[in-house]
Amino acid sequence: MGAGQGALPAGAHARRYYARPDIAYLPISDAPALEWVLVWPTDRHTARVRA
């Protein structure tokens, strides 16, 4: 549950996919857009990940 003790920037999708009644999502209109990339630990590269 939300503890009421902090703030964390999150992408706009968070409101849709992680909606919770105890958390308020507020838009930050003057921030640059977030860019997302796939991250994978280097010690767990498999052939499928490398492909």
Side-chain angles (χ1 to χ4, degrees):
M1 297 195 141
Q5 298 181 356
L8 173 72
H13 73 284
R15 178 182 287 184
R16 178 176 177 184
Y17 294 108
Y18 304 106
R20 290 176 42 171
D22 57 339
I23 295 178
Y25 293 98
L26 304 174
I28 303 173
S29 59
D30 60 346
L34 294 176
E35 294 184 26
W36 297 91
V37 297
L38 177 64
V39 177
W40 195 270
T42 56
D43 62 339
R44 297 184 189 156
H45 280 182
T46 64
R48 180 178 283 180
V49 170
R50 286 189 295 275

